[in-house]
Each structure stands twice: as C-alpha cells, then as structure tokens.
Amino acid sequence: MSLYPLKFRPILKERLWGGSKLKEILEKPVQNDTTGESWELSGVKGDVSVVANGELKGKSLQDLIDDYPETLMGKRIFERFGNEFPILIKFIDAKKDLSIQLHPNDALARARHDSFGKTEMWYVMDADTDANLIIGFNKDVTKEEYSQSLKDDTLLNLLNYEPVKEGDTFFINTGKIHAIGAGVLLAEIQQTSDITYRVFDFKRKDKNGNLRELHTELALDAIDYSKKNDFKVNYPKETNTPNSMVDCPYFKTRFMHLTQELIQDVSQRDSFTIYMCVNGIAQIENDFAAETVTKGETILVPASSTKIRIKTNDAQLLEVTV
C-alpha cells in the first residue's frame, strides 16, 4: 500500500489537574472539565493510537508498524527501535499545578521498568497571566539537602520557576525535576514512555479521597541535583522556512510559520515526519494524498514519502523527526 498522511483519534486522559482548554482552544471532543491530556500519537501499550482517516481508518499504529515497518518508520528507525514507535505526542492542559516530578534515563528505565527513558520538550501554546513552569533547582543541592527538604516540607524553596508565554520552548532532560504550572496549555514531544517519578503533590487527594502515590526512593538515584540553565530553547522564527528547535538523540524538532506553500525534498530523510499544528490551518501532501490539519491536530507522514508539500496562507507547525 502507498501510505498517505495519517491522522489519529485523540486519546483523552482525565487528570485531577486538567481543565477545559483542550475543548475550548483545541476543540477536542472532551466530555468533562478535568481532561488534562490529549495523546495525539502513541505506541504506549494499552494506549495505542488508531487511524482516523482514509483507507486504513480503524487500524492501530501498531498494526501499521507490523504491516509496513520500513515504509512507515524508515529503515534506519526500524533497525534502531524495532516495532516500538519511539515518539509520544501530546497536548497538555494544566488548570492546576502538576505534581513535582522527573523521569529516569534510558538505563534506569530499562533496568527498572523495561521501558525507554523520557526525554521531552514543551512548546507553550497558551498561558494565563503570571503562569509559570518549574524546571530544575535554583541552586546546586546535595541528595541529603533534597531529602531533608522533603521531610521539612520545604522542597518548593529549592525549585526554579520560569514565567512563560506563547511560543516559549523548553527541553527537559531525564533527571531534571519539573512541573507544568497552572494556566499553561502546551504541546509535548517525548520519548515513548509513561514512566514518571512523582516526588511532591501539594498533599492533594484523588477523586476517591486518597493521596496520590509518591516515588521518593525511586527518584533519589534518578535526579540531577545540579543547577543547569540548559532548558530554555532559543530558536529562530524566520517565516516560510524550517527553524531548528531541538536536536537530540531521540527527536529533532523544527518550527515553521508558513504564509505560503512550502515543498520539502525528504527522499533522504529515512524517518517518518510528524506535524503538530499549533496555529492556523494547512494542507499536507505527500506523493500519494493530501490531508488538512487545523490548530490542535497532528499528522504523521510516512517515511516512504519523497516530498512533502505544505499549502497554507497562515499556519504554525512543529515538525518532528527522529
């Protein structure tokens, strides 16, 4: 089969910190006011995305990988990751602060959970006045200082707060303590992993009245205790050209603000290409078919494509490859 640009059904996740921006701003089919995440493209077991358009509608992402491994993913990607899709794409709406958390690196995650680690990036799509993110510590700390702060309930005093606005982008290495603050809507691009170590949760209770599980001991050997200003991504914003944002071993991202047609030769890319539409509307076409994306939608262009044509009068896209 000639694989065309693929759209997938959003997988909506209810969270105690979720809100209504996924529905109000991104027009997701949300049924309540506590939906915190829309998983746009996922190979996570138990939450595998299902095709929403075209001849393959109803097929899962795993079905496609099993049936068309190199055509969909690219030979290089398939040789590296096998039949595991390496990227997880989400939109996240935080009406309330998320828990303070971090993610293990590949070695720890594989040893403890038989999983990838979780390196990720955030692109802020909307932020309330005075909204912020927590990223890293505000000074170098020792494991002992950190542990004592948990006992004394003073962890928040050690954390770095970053004010945010639309367009701000952050790269979150494994081991870096972090949290999305209340009032932030963002696009998240990450390794395929759902492993999170929660270390502080403001003593909140779930809908059953229980405190949520903390992962205090697991986190101790996973945390980077040093202060590093390595998270804010400063990227060019030239119009009608791809602008490099993040280039790491797990994914490469580019920002595009297009006001006219753009044609890219991707014949040597040997990777699938993902587009997240963060503003406007565009038509994305490969060798075989075209599909429209609007703000809040995601599309997967298979690796077998030799060119990608994007038609638009005004759209902002995040392009993701491996």
Side-chain angles (χ1 to χ4, degrees), residues 14-267:
E14 193 172 344
R15 302 290 190 235
L16 62 82
W17 41 260
S20 58
K21 287 184 178 180
L22 293 173
K23 179 179 182 180
E24 294 170 355
I25 296 179
L26 302 188
E27 298 185 357
K28 297 296 177 185
V30 170
Q31 302 299 317
N32 56 61
D33 289 335
T34 54
T35 301
E37 302 184 18
S38 176
W39 290 24
E40 298 290 299
L41 186 53
S42 168
V44 175
K45 290 179 176 60
D47 282 301
V48 178
S49 294
V50 174
V51 178
N53 68 321
E55 188 177 343
L56 294 168
K57 183 176 181 179
K59 293 278 189 179
S60 74
L61 176 61
Q62 195 61 57
D63 291 335
L64 302 188
I65 294 171
D66 293 342
D67 292 344
Y68 316 103
E70 293 183 9
T71 302
L72 181 77
M73 297 177 67
K75 185 174 187 293
R76 172 176 59 88
I77 308 304
F78 183 67
E79 287 177 350
R80 179 179 173 189
F81 295 100
N83 65 353
E84 294 186 74
F85 196 74
I87 299 294
L88 176 57
I89 300 289
K90 302 177 182 177
F91 293 113
I92 297 178
D93 170 26
K95 184 177 181 179
K96 301 176 183 177
D97 294 330
L98 271 68
S99 62
I100 313 300
Q101 58 188 248
L102 61 130
H103 310 295
N105 61 27
D106 282 345
L108 269 180
R110 186 64 70 187
R112 292 176 173 177
H113 313 286
D114 192 29
S115 170
F116 293 124
K118 189 176 174 183
T119 299
E120 60 191 5
M121 71 158 272
W122 297 333
Y123 174 88
V124 176
M125 296 179 65
D126 184 79
D128 294 352
T129 304
D130 299 328
N132 59 53
L133 305 173
I134 290 173
I135 309 179
F137 293 102
N138 57 30
K139 64 174 186 174
D140 291 339
V141 301
T142 65
K143 185 185 293 189
E144 291 71 29
E145 284 179 287
Y146 165 79
S147 296
Q148 189 63 45
S149 77
L150 292 182
K151 295 175 184 175
D152 297 343
D153 201 18
T154 58
L155 174 63
L156 298 181
N157 296 336
L158 298 178
L159 303 178
N160 173 59
Y161 293 80
E162 289 286 323
V164 294
K165 63 184 184 305
E166 180 184 345
D168 285 349
T169 300
F170 299 88
F171 180 68
I172 312 297
N173 272 309
T174 54
K176 190 176 292 294
I177 201 162
H178 64 271
I180 301 171
V184 177
L185 172 71
L186 56 77
E188 180 176 272
I189 297 150
Q190 59 161 93
Q191 288 177 270
T192 290
S193 172
D194 202 27
I195 305 300
T196 294
Y197 293 163
R198 187 185 300 123
V199 298
F200 184 80
D201 196 33
F202 307 96
K203 297 183 172 63
R204 290 183 294 201
K205 296 180 179 180
D206 62 21
K207 60 185 179 183
N208 297 317
N210 301 314
L211 293 170
R212 293 200 296 171
E213 181 184 6
L214 298 179
H215 308 97
T216 307
E217 293 303 318
L218 284 172
L220 288 175
D221 294 330
I223 295 176
D224 181 351
Y225 294 98
S226 58
K227 177 186 176 182
K228 294 177 182 173
N229 294 319
D230 59 354
F231 45 81
K232 185 74 179 284
V233 179
N234 295 309
Y235 60 97
K237 299 181 178 68
E238 293 183 28
T239 306
N240 298 317
T241 188
N243 298 281
S244 180
M245 301 175 86
V246 169
D247 187 344
C248 75
Y250 308 105
F251 51 81
K252 299 175 177 62
T253 56
R254 287 162 288 275
F255 175 79
M256 297 178 176
H257 182 189
L258 304 180
T259 59
Q260 63 188 38
E261 181 178 287
L262 177 72
I263 300 175
Q264 297 191 91
D265 179 353
V266 295
S267 57

